[in-house]
């Protein structure tokens, strides 16, 4: 189900970049970062020796939790118990045995924090639409930030496909995994640029 969310976000990212909506493109990048780490988190017990932990059960309980606990939604008192990004990042780094775990965790946190402002409407991110004279929404095709996002699209597509491959492998769909892996390795360089 998380892979379905990734598919929707990658389509949204492409459409918003093409439309010059860089704030929404940044929000889609943040969504892809978060959902991708969740796929890696959920797949890791099946792909590594890290094993399943209590936080996996907490995560899945919250994921499948009904939105409202009362038929009159205004009387709903539903509270969500979300597993923190920090715990998910730490597990992913531990599970996939990153050589420099501390640096890898810091990089993941930095990426999360960088794109979070696009979701929450931070001033610094809104200023990306300002060209020195006016705010441009949509941004013109030659806008520097928009061009940067276009350059990053292949990296996000590469990561999305890797997350699909993780999910397929974890679910035991070996034929799908093999096709994805073959496509990824022949289409993309290791860092995600198109060959």
């Amino acid at each position: 189900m998380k892979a379905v969310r990734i598919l929707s976000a990658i389509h949204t990212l492409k459409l918003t970049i093409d439309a010059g909506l860089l704030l929404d493109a940044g929000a889609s990048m943040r969504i892809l970062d978060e959902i991708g780490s969740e796929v890696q988190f959920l797949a890791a017990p099946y792909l590594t020796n890290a094993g399943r932990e209590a936080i996996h059960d907490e995560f899945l309980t919250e994921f499948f939790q009904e939105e409202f606990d009362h038929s009159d939604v205004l009387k709903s008192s539903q509270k969500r118990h979300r597993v923190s990004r920090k715990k998910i990042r730490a597990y992913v780094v531990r599970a996939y045995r990153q050589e420099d775990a501390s640096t890898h965790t810091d990089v993941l946190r930095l990426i999360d924090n960088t794109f979070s402002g696009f979701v929450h409407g931070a001033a610094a991110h809104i200023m990306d639409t300002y060209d020195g004279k006016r705010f441009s929404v949509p941004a013109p095709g030659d806008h520097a930030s928009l061009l940067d996002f276009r350059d990053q699209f292949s990296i996000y597509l590469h990561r999305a496909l890797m997350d699909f491959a993780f999910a397929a492998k974890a679910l035991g769909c070996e034929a799908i995994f093999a096709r994805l892996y073959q496509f990824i390795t022949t289409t993309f360089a290791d860092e995600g640029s198109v060959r």
Side-chain angles (χ1 to χ4, degrees), residues 43 70 82 100 166:
H70 195 281
R82 291 198 165 91
D100 185 358
F166 282 157

Side-chain angles (χ1 to χ4, degrees), residues 51-105:
R52 188 181 174 105
E53 296 182 2
I55 58 173
H56 288 91
D57 295 330
E58 291 174 36
F59 182 92
L60 290 170
T61 297
E62 190 274 333
F63 178 66
F64 287 106
Q65 182 178 1
E66 290 294 329
E67 201 59 39
F68 303 107
D69 62 358
H70 195 281
S71 59
D72 180 347
V73 295
L74 295 176
K75 294 180 181 175
S76 181
S77 62
Q78 190 77 309
K79 301 242 187 278
R80 294 202 170 269
H81 173 70
R82 291 198 165 91
V83 175
S84 72
R85 289 281 113 211
K86 183 178 179 178
K87 286 182 179 180
I88 290 172
R89 281 192 300 264
Y91 177 84
V92 167
V93 168
R94 198 170 59 250
Y96 294 99
R97 291 189 169 75
Q98 301 298 321
E99 289 181 24
D100 185 358
S102 176
T103 300
H104 193 80
T105 301

Side-chain angles (χ1 to χ4, degrees), residues 128-147:
D128 281 343
T129 66
Y130 190 69
D131 66 5
K133 296 178 186 170
R134 66 184 158 275
F135 292 92
S136 297
V137 178
D142 62 349
H143 190 282
S145 295
L146 187 61
L147 293 173

Side-chain angles (χ1 to χ4, degrees), residues 156-172:
Y156 275 87
L157 181 58
H158 174 258
R159 289 171 46 201
L161 291 168
M162 291 293 292
D163 293 330
F164 294 157
F166 282 157
K169 183 79 167 170
L171 292 169

Side-chain angles (χ1 to χ4, degrees), residues 22-32 34 112-122 125-126:
L22 61 95
L23 297 175
D24 297 291
S28 293
M29 289 172 163
R30 177 64 177 88
I31 290 167
L32 285 160
E34 187 166 316
D112 284 351
N113 291 345
T114 299
F115 288 99
S116 184
F118 286 107
V119 173
H120 303 292
H125 293 78
I126 295 170

